[in-house]
């Protein structure tokens, strides 16, 4: 399995040791769990954003009718946001 060397400050290492000890796990497992959780969170946010973009695109006319004041004016058309 590929590995990654990560540098921590002395304080961070001590905190990691303490947390790992409190949880009854190794420092390696603790750091791996944290990274895996962040990866899962990132993927979920990406998927949620994509679902929102699809929903908004599908219902763009409905949003425009419901919120006409939020529609770009004619003078704004063609300009990048």
């Amino acid at each position: 399995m590929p590995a990654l060397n990560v540098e921590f400050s002395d304080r961070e290492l001590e905190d990691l040791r303490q947390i790992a000890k409190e949880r009854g796990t190794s420092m390696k497992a603790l750091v791996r769990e944290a990274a895996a959780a962040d990866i899962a969170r990132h993927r979920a946010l990406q998927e949620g954003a994509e679902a929102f973009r699809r929903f908004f695109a599908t219902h763009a006319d409905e949003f425009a009718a419901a919120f006409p004041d939020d529609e770009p004016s004619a003078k704004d058309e063609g300009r990048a946001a």
Side-chain angles (χ1 to χ4, degrees):
M1 177 185 291
L4 173 68
N5 291 328
V6 180
E7 294 181 14
F8 295 98
S9 70
D10 290 340
R11 174 64 191 260
E12 290 167 335
L13 276 176
E14 185 54 39
D15 289 345
L16 284 171
R17 280 187 192 98
Q18 184 61 37
I19 294 167
K21 182 179 177 183
E22 289 171 7
R23 294 186 185 178
T25 190
S26 68
M27 289 176 44
K28 184 176 180 177
L30 180 69
V31 171
R32 187 171 189 306
E33 281 179 30
D38 197 52
I39 290 167
R41 178 182 166 276
H42 181 75
R43 286 179 183 158
L45 287 172
Q46 286 181 317
E47 291 170 7
E50 183 55 35
F52 174 79
R53 283 191 286 274
R54 283 192 310 270
F55 179 84
F56 189 82
T58 301
H59 300 280
D61 292 339
E62 296 167 62
F63 281 107
F67 306 102
D69 293 342
D70 292 335
E71 288 298 297
S73 64
K75 68 179 180 175
D76 292 338
E77 288 184 18
R79 288 176 45 188

